[in-house]
Every structure is written in structure tokens, then in C-alpha cells.
Amino acid sequence: MRFGGAETGAAGARGVGSLANQRVWGWGRQPVGETELRRPERLRDLYAAVSGEGTALARGLGRSYGDASFNSAGTTILMERIDRYVDFDPSAGVVECEAGVTIDDLVRHFVPRGFFPPVVPGTKHVTMGGAIASDIHGKNHHKDGSLARHLLDFELLTASGDIVTCSRDENPDLFWATLGGMGLTGVVTTLRMQMTPVASAYVEVDIDRAPDLDRTLELFHESDENYRYSVAWVDGLAGGRSLGRSILMRGNPAPSGDGRGLDVKRRKERSVPKIFPAALLNRTSVKAFNTLYYRRHPRQARGAVQHYEPFFFPLDAARDWNRLYGKRGFTQYQCVLPYEGGRDGLARILEFVRRETRGSFLTVLKRFGPGEADSPLSFPMPGYTLAMDIPWRGAALESALERIDAIVIELGGRVYLTKDARLSAESLRAMYDRLDEWLAVKRRVDPESRFVSDLGQRLGLVA
Amino acid sequence: MSEGAKGSVLILGATSLIGRATAAAFAREGYDLMLASPGGPELEHVTADVAIRTGAAVVSLELDARDTASHAGFVRRAVEAAGGELSGAVLNFGLGGDAVCAREDMSHAEEILRVNFVGAASVLGHLANYFEQRRRGFIIGVSSVAGDRGRQSNYVYGSAKAGLSAFLQGLRNRLHHAGVTVVTVKPGFIDTRLTYGKVSPKMAAAPERVGAAIVKAVKKRRSVVYVPGYWRLIMMIIKAIPEPVFKRLNL
Ligand SMILES: Cc1cc2nc3c(=O)[nH]c(=O)nc-3n(C[C@H](O)[C@H](O)[C@H](O)COP(=O)(O)OP(=O)(O)OC[C@H]3O[C@@H](n4cnc5c(N)ncnc54)[C@H](O)[C@@H]3O)c2cc1C
Ligand SMILES: NC(=O)c1ccc[n+]([C@@H]2O[C@H](COP(=O)([O-])OP(=O)(O)OC[C@H]3O[C@@H](n4cnc5c(N)ncnc54)[C@H](OP(=O)(O)O)[C@@H]3O)[C@@H](O)[C@H]2O)c1
């Protein structure tokens, strides 16, 4: 490891110091890239970091799973310190902040004021810049859509060095290309977002146990519209008649009263040791866990009151749980299948993964509502979305996942790029039929391909 | 503006991570805040940010350390904006600069001296007169371990901080008789843009440590604090090395 600043000087050519030749990876811990890191603390440091020669990419907290968050061909800009609130209007519930502000930060400061972020992922450790670049969805997608729907506008630092306001009315093509655009249109510097008013920090949760896939989907269709939040944990290792057995966890914001206030619970996050023996996490242990977990839940439970923290962010209880998969890491395969043909597609994929890979150790299923018609690369579309965490096993797994890609393409579905580490450029084109529109915007705002990521190179998103 | 129970603290160089952490630490103690820096969007954002995160009443003021002629007016305006009374002031601004560049380019060396020493001494001088008259309050000066001994790697910055440390020492002696606390804060490696790329981030302490140390130093009326505390020992050893040996070292 070499410290760039010693050679270039603290104020070096690009404002602040840098760290050269740093190994970086995403949440899946593979693939590993090598990049120059910069960490601006001022907007002017950020501008300096993208001006000058070479390529650059913004990185939030690296919670995307594959190679979306780093640029081995040049500089990776850590956005974590561009994290200031700029304005808050309590009457309108609109917050304006810089892109490095995290969901963790937002809940901590706004739950006590009676507001919740409109869309949250399964971890609170993501930045708003990363959330926009992925156009994230939450357990409320079937009701509230993806993040895009709740954004008023944002400012984008583009390759020309200009700061461009992007909204539905101003530079709309850039607005829609940046949502889901994986950081390749520029760097989001600030944004304005509509927060959701809440009466308490709690959720009223209903639990339903479904013995197989058909019952799972039946429950979704019967009653999902009664719930703001809906998700199903699936036992990815169960086969035969139990294929697709699941626990549905669905809920609505709880009213205040009965001791339910606007409290922020600060859990102490446990840490997984740096060298966790990955052998402990294997098919047998997960299978045993899944069976216990499935049985531990009642067939049906109604109205249990749960704080938002364990309901939305259960995995944050252990900070570095990705270490459980050891040095080789893992991948998450998340796809969406349109409702038509979706049931059979899910069954085929679940069965295939169970047989042809080490198995999915964590499997989550939910229903999407309408997607964002104007956004060429935004992931959600009406259908079932299935996410599977699979231990990484090189070429053998890659070819297995390619066969799942084929099923997804056949059914008119797509893969979520922020989880992806291995899709091919051809499959991307088959899944995102408006790719060319996105590429046209990219060529226009970034003709020299200054914004580059490893994912972008792999998928042909950068020239 | 609404007056916090404890009055207002003026923070110079509030846009730095150390400045923001210090502002937050004082807000938690119930103080209102006045934040100063050269201005622009950085100061605007930090002012809004501190207010939203802490709920404290926050006012911002522009200050250029190099423009010493403006400093008397600056302190007057700060006192006015605080509703007539300041409880304390933290001088945190500083210019890390580029040590390599400062060898060749004397105007850069001069800039480092002007911000870190001349500008600091000037604004501290005006603040000292204000607090001496008021006969209570505190002045915190953020100097650096770099001022404890000159090293080849950044002696221009180090000499400015050495001057600042000596200035604060004298001020402490003078203002003691007026009941005003003067604290010299000497951070070691703090994880900010100043050290990023020069020191492994793992070896650098979180900026919040400095904010917490400053609030504690005010409460305990300390004179000189090192942050983290073990730097006192490190610097004791470094200062004890005889010059004939020290000059051969590669520091
Ligand atoms: C446990 C877990 C659960 C998750 N659950 C969900 C979920 O339920 N729904 C969901 O949608 N996602 C989910 N995710 C994925 C996560 O929300 C996204 O990957 C998100 O983008 C990560 O944000 P980040 O700040 O870590 O960004 P990074 O991973 O660092 O970067 C992601 C992308 O954002 C870009 N980017 C970052 N900052 C900026 C910026 N300022 N301007 C422009 N581009 C930028 C990067 O270039 C990169 O392409 C989950 C992830 C984890 C680890
Ligand atoms: N980081 C360390 O390891 C370390 C160690 C020892 C001492 N220190 C000291 O700690 C203090 C804060 O440093 P930092 O690490 O947080 O670095 P920083 O982020 O660069 O902070 C410097 C601060 O000084 C302000 N400033 C710069 N030039 C100025 C001028 N001409 N007039 C008025 N204000 C000016 C800056 O304002 P803008 O950015 O808004 O222009 C900023 O608020 C400095 O005094 C530094 O010397 C730091």
C-alpha cells in the first residue's frame, strides 16, 4: 500500500490527498478492484476530484453487492463526508441534504420529528447518493413505488464540471437516467426528498406461514393491498412439496399511544470477527436454521407491534455479517419476473438454485407495483422480485447463474444491477429494452466517458 | 435569536470536521452557536446542518483569517449577533497547506504563516480584549503537535503552530488574572482532509474526539490538552531527543 498524499502533497493536483492502489470491494466481498481513493469533505474538494485528467466514480457506503461502487480504471470518490443537511421544512416534510447523508442518519434525526424516509432498503447503512443511483425500493414498493417517486430534484455534478439541477421538469432525461444509472451520469451532490409523516416509530405486523409457493403467492394476492409493507422470507433450501415455503411479514405504520412514541432505538451492532470460519456457514447449518426459523413462527399472528429497527433493518444487528461467507464472498441474485408466468418462473429458479448451486442461504420474495416508465435503467416493474444470497464459487456458479438469466429473459424479467457482479452485456440488453435511450444520455453528458465503474465496463455502459 | 441557557460559543473554522464536531459537542451542552469560516456554500450547509442535527440556535458569520483589518469589526459583529454576550470562542481555523510546495513557493509558505499564526494572533487578540473586559468566559486555540518540534516534513506549518502555542501560553497567563480560561488544544493525527492520504486513516483519531476534548477542557479549566491524550507522551519523547540526534532523523 502506498499513500498517495506523500508523493502528491496534501493539496495535490486534485485538492485533497489521495490513497493510491487501494483494494476495494462491494458488500459481496467479490470481485476485488484496485483504485485511487479520494474522500472530499467540501463541495470544492469534490469538484476538484472530478476535474482534471482521468476517470472517476462516486461511492457511498459500498452496500451494493458487486462491482458497481468502484473504478479500477481511475479514481473512486468516497462520498461519506459530503453529508450535510441543507434544509428541512417541517410543514411540508421536505428535507434537502447532501448525497452522503445516510438512511441511518435520516431516521435518527427525523423519526423524533415524526418523519420516516419514504423508501428504505434492508439496511440503514446506505447513502442517499447510492439510493438514487440504484433507485432503491423498499417493502412498500407495491404501495409507494421506488425512491424516484419521492424525490423532488437533485443536483448533479457532470463530466463538464457543471452542476445541473435535475427534476421531472428540468433536464428530465438526466433525472431519469441518473435514477438507476449506477453513478455513471455524474455525482449527485444534493437532493430534495419528500419524507413520510409517521405517528409512531412502530409497525403493526401480521405474520403468515405459507407451506409452499402457491400459498405464498395466494396470500400476496389476497391481502397485500391491506399492508403498506410486505415481504416474505423464503426457505430457499426446502424442496419437493415444501418448495417456496415462507413466512410473510406484512404490516402498517402503528398509531401513537400505548407507549408507542417516536423513539429511536440505538442497538449496539455486533461485529463478526474479521476471520470468521466460513465453513460454519454451510448448507447443513443453514438448512437446520431455516427449518427452526420456519417452525418458530406461528401459522398466523396478528397485530404484533414491532419497532421500525428490527422490522426494516433486521440484518443490521450484526454489522459485518457479510464476513460470514469468508474470503471468497457471496453474490446476491435479485431478479423481477412479470406476474404473467411469474409463478412458474419462481418455481423453476428456486428449484434450480437448490439443485445446481450451494443453495441460497437467504431468500426474500416480494411483489412490485408499477415501475418508473420514464427511467430506462430503474429496476422495479410489476411482478415478483426474488433475492437469493449464494456463496461465491467461481466459474461453476457463473454458468449456473447464466442459466437463470436465460429463464429471467424468457419471462421478460430483469436483474437488479446494484446486486449484480457477473451479468453479461448481452443479457443486460435483453433485460433492459430501453438501454439505448440511457446510452444516448450517457454519450451526451459524458462524451469522453469520465465516469467509469468496473460494473459499467463489464456491462458496456461506458465507452 | 433565542438565547440558550448557557449563551453563545463562537467557532472559527466551523466548516472543518473538527469544527462541526466541536459545534455539536457544545450544542449538546446547551450552548447556542455562532459559526465562522471564509463563507460560501460550505458555511451555508454547515450552518443548516448543525441547526438541524442539534436543534441549537445557529448563526453564521464570514471571516477571512488573512484579512486582519476586518477582525476588530468581526468580533464586534459576533458579540452583537450573540445578543451582546459571548460565552466563549474556539479558534479552529488552520491551513494545512502543501509542505513540498512551500519549499519552493515562498508565497505559499507565507500564506501558511498568515493563516495559522498572523491571522490567528490577530483575531485572538481582539477576542482576548473582549473577554478580559467581560472577566469571564473561555478561549480555545486549536494548535498542533506539529508546533512542539520542527520537523523537515512540515516545519512551515509547524512553526506557525509553535508561534500559536506560545501566543496562547502568554494569553493564558494574562487572562488568568481576569478569570478567563485559555486552553491550548494540540491534536495529533486526526482523520480529516488534512491527513487523508498522508497518514493511514487507521492511525488517525475521529474528529469527534477533538470536539469532546474541547468541551471537557472548558469544564475542567485545563491549560494544555493533547488529543488523543497519548500524544502528550509521544511528544515528550520526541521533544527529549537531543538536537544532534534529531537532525539525522527522517521525520
Ligand atoms: C443488507 C442489504 C439489504 C439491502 N436491501 C435492499 C432493498 O431492500 N432494496 C434495494 O433497493 N436495495 C437494497 N440493498 C442495496 C442498496 O440499497 C444499494 O446497493 C445502495 O445503492 C447502496 O448504497 P451505498 O451508499 O452503499 O452505495 P454504493 O454501494 O457505494 O454505490 C452504489 C452505486 O451508487 C453510486 N453512487 C453512490 N453515491 C453516489 C452519488 N453521490 N452520486 C451518484 N452516484 C452515486 C455508485 O457509483 C454505485 O454505482 C441492500 C443492500 C444490503 C447490503
Ligand atoms: N487533522 C489533523 O490531524 C490536525 C492535527 C493537528 C491540528 N489540526 C488543526 O485542526 C484545525 C482544523 O483542521 P482540520 O483537520 O479540520 O482541517 P480543515 O478541514 O482543512 O479545516 C480548516 C478550517 O479552517 C478554515 N480556514 C482555512 N483558511 C481560512 C482562512 N483564511 N480564514 C478563515 N478560515 C479558514 C477552513 O474553512 P473552509 O474550508 O470553509 O474554507 C476550515 O474550517 C486546524 O487548525 C488544524 O491545523 C488538525
Side-chain angles (χ1 to χ4, degrees):
Chain A
M1 186 159 69
R2 188 169 70 88
F3 295 117
E7 284 79 19
T8 58
R14 283 180 173 190
V16 278
S18 64
L19 292 169
N21 307 331
Q22 299 294 300
R23 285 160 61 82
V24 281
W25 51 85
W27 189 244
R29 304 185 73 188
Q30 64 77 37
V32 175
E34 195 174 292
T35 186
E36 177 200 54
L37 288 181
R38 289 185 180 268
R39 193 190 61 188
E41 292 181 353
R42 306 284 193 284
L43 291 169
R44 66 167 186 273
D45 295 343
L46 174 64
Y47 305 154
V50 302
S51 70
E53 300 292 296
T55 62
L57 181 80
R59 172 173 163 114
L61 292 183
R63 258 35 178 217
S64 52
Y65 280 65
D67 49 2
S69 66
F70 48 88
N71 171 25
S72 294
T75 302
T76 303
I77 303 169
L78 304 176
M79 293 296 291
E80 59 202 56
R81 295 202 171 192
I82 304 291
D83 68 338
R84 296 163 296 193
Y85 289 108
V86 181
D87 197 14
F88 177 60
D89 176 351
S91 59
V94 172
V95 65
E96 180 177 357
C97 63
E98 293 177 338
V101 165
T102 64
I103 292 286
D104 182 29
D105 212 277
L106 283 162
V107 292
R108 195 170 343 148
H109 289 101
F110 289 98
V111 164
R113 294 169 158 101
F115 290 96
F116 204 73
V119 172
V120 299
T123 173
K124 57 189 183 300
H125 301 300
V126 303
T127 65
M128 286 313 300
I132 290 174
S134 304
D135 189 21
I136 60 162
H137 58 269
K139 294 179 177 181
N140 55 344
H141 188 276
H142 62 294
K143 288 278 193 195
D144 300 329
S146 58
L147 179 63
R149 206 186 282 179
H150 312 274
L151 282 178
L152 280 69
D153 50 30
F154 53 78
E155 305 274 302
L156 188 72
L157 171 59
T158 61
S160 61
D162 297 317
I163 307 274
V164 183
T165 303
C166 302
S167 70
R168 287 165 184 77
D169 309 316
E170 235 176 306
N171 302 299
D173 53 344
L174 203 44
F175 179 77
W176 293 115
T178 300
L179 280 154
M182 305 313 291
L184 298 173
T185 55
V187 182
V188 176
T189 57
T190 63
L191 56 118
R192 290 195 306 145
M193 176 172 68
Q194 178 68 56
M195 299 284 280
T196 303
V198 288
S200 82
Y202 293 79
V203 184
E204 279 175 349
V205 188
D206 287 354
I207 303 282
D208 291 278
R209 204 167 75 175
D212 56 29
L213 183 61
D214 284 327
R215 183 64 188 143
T216 301
L217 301 187
E218 202 174 281
L219 280 164
F220 269 151
H221 286 285
E222 270 171 17
S223 45
D224 237 21
E225 291 309 313
N226 302 338
Y227 300 101
R228 173 127 264 133
Y229 310 115
S230 164
V231 71
W233 169 89
V234 176
D235 181 352
L237 296 181
R241 279 188 306 149
S242 297
L243 186 77
R245 73 173 174 186
S246 73
I247 312 280
L248 284 85
M249 297 171 231
R250 299 180 294 175
N252 284 305
S256 61
D258 270 348
R260 291 184 304 262
L262 291 164
D263 47 316
V264 177
K265 286 210 166 68
R266 301 295 297 158
R267 274 194 300 190
K268 181 145 176 57
E269 294 184 1
R270 279 163 219 269
S271 196
V272 174
K274 261 215 167 86
I275 31 174
F276 180 85
L280 290 181
L281 189 73
N282 57 45
R283 201 172 173 120
T284 316
S285 66
V286 174
K287 201 167 174 146
F289 170 84
N290 282 2
T291 301
L292 274 175
Y293 188 81
Y294 179 78
R295 298 232 171 95
R296 211 192 65 193
H297 284 85
R299 193 153 296 135
Q300 195 184 71
R302 292 285 171 262
V305 173
Q306 206 176 10
H307 190 258
Y308 73 76
E309 176 79 39
F311 181 76
F312 287 112
F313 314 119
L315 291 166
D316 287 344
R319 201 175 220 300
D320 308 301
W321 61 262
N322 57 345
R323 286 184 187 153
L324 295 174
Y325 287 87
K327 255 191 123 64
R328 295 175 80 172
F330 69 114
T331 193
Q332 183 176 101
Y333 190 92
Q334 183 174 358
C335 60
V336 53
L337 301 177
Y339 288 121
E340 198 187 326
R343 187 251 163 236
D344 290 342
L346 291 174
R348 276 163 75 191
I349 293 172
L350 285 169
E351 182 59 19
F352 182 84
V353 167
R354 209 176 65 81
R355 282 177 189 272
E356 305 291 327
T357 74
R358 303 248 156 177
S360 165
F361 289 4
L362 181 64
T363 311
V364 173
L365 182 65
K366 85 162 260 92
R367 274 177 66 236
F368 277 156
E372 288 297 343
D374 292 318
S375 181
L377 287 187
S378 173
F379 167 65
M381 62 191 264
Y384 304 110
T385 181
L386 179 71
M388 301 173 289
D389 286 6
I390 307 171
W392 187 250
R393 287 298 180 270
L397 181 62
E398 283 194 55
S399 65
L401 295 181
E402 274 160 24
R403 288 168 60 195
I404 305 178
D405 293 340
I407 302 177
V408 173
I409 292 168
E410 176 196 324
L411 294 174
R414 54 172 72 136
V415 156
Y416 193 8
L417 296 186
T418 208
K419 308 291 179 72
D420 176 56
R422 32 66 48 195
L423 196 69
S424 70
E426 301 73 59
S427 297
L428 175 81
R429 181 165 286 281
M431 292 174 177
Y432 287 85
D433 50 11
R434 295 174 57 196
L435 181 60
D436 285 328
E437 271 173 61
W438 187 88
L439 288 171
V441 177
K442 168 77 175 169
R443 270 193 300 272
R444 182 168 56 76
V445 293
D446 188 12
E448 290 162 41
S449 270
R450 297 286 316 284
F451 290 104
V452 173
S453 68
D454 287 29
L455 173 137
Q457 294 211 327
R458 173 167 58 80
L459 292 176
L461 295 173
V462 295
Chain B
M1 77 183 245
S2 80
E3 270 286 314
K6 292 189 166 173
S8 294
V9 177
L10 172 64
I11 299 176
L12 314 177
T15 44
S16 94
L17 269 275
I18 294 175
R20 285 170 65 187
T22 305
F26 277 112
R28 277 194 291 276
E29 295 293 311
Y31 290 96
D32 289 339
L33 299 164
M34 325 211 48
L35 307 182
S37 86
E42 312 295 347
L43 180 59
E44 249 173 66
H45 287 197
V46 164
T47 303
D49 181 75
V50 171
I52 288 170
R53 282 174 196 270
T54 66
V58 187
V59 170
S60 66
L61 294 165
E62 286 183 17
L63 168 74
D64 187 342
R66 295 164 303 185
D67 183 10
T68 51
S70 72
H71 291 176
F74 168 81
V75 171
R76 213 179 317 110
R77 275 197 308 282
V79 174
E80 268 166 33
E85 235 189 330
L86 270 179
S87 300
V90 181
L91 181 130
N92 172 61
F93 65 67
L95 178 65
D98 183 333
V100 178
C101 170
R103 289 184 184 190
E104 303 299 325
D105 177 359
M106 294 320 146
S107 70
H108 186 55
E110 192 182 324
E111 170 102 351
I112 293 172
L113 296 170
R114 277 179 70 197
V115 173
N116 292 306
F117 182 65
V118 179
S122 161
V123 75
L124 280 174
H126 292 291
L127 286 166
N129 295 343
Y130 167 75
F131 283 110
E132 186 175 48
Q133 228 178 16
R134 185 177 174 249
R135 300 197 71 77
R136 68 196 138 109
F138 57 87
I139 294 176
I140 313 290
V142 179
S143 185
S144 171
V145 295
D148 279 10
R149 191 153 195 180
R151 294 172 298 130
Q152 64 176 357
S153 54
N154 71 341
Y155 55 86
V156 178
Y157 171 81
S159 63
K161 289 295 193 182
L164 176 60
S165 293
F167 188 95
L168 288 163
Q169 199 169 37
L171 207 59
R172 176 160 43 249
N173 187 198
R174 169 183 154 201
L175 294 186
H176 176 78
H177 306 287
V180 176
T181 307
V182 177
V183 186
T184 309
V185 177
K186 295 184 178 178
F189 294 144
I190 309 298
D191 184 17
T192 71
R193 65 202 279 280
L194 224 65
T195 52
Y196 192 79
K198 290 201 276 187
V199 176
S200 162
K202 287 183 197 111
M203 278 173 58
E208 287 74 20
R209 292 280 290 271
V210 185
I214 287 176
V215 165
K216 191 170 155 197
V218 169
K219 281 188 189 159
K220 302 205 157 178
R221 298 174 162 268
R222 300 277 301 275
S223 298
V224 180
V225 295
Y226 285 80
V227 193
Y230 55 75
W231 277 93
R232 186 181 294 273
L233 185 66
I234 296 176
M235 294 320 293
M236 213 153 79
I237 295 165
I238 289 182
K239 280 191 285 189
I241 302 172
E243 196 62 19
V245 178
F246 194 82
K247 73 179 179 194
R248 292 167 209 273
L249 300 179
N250 207 348
L251 287 170

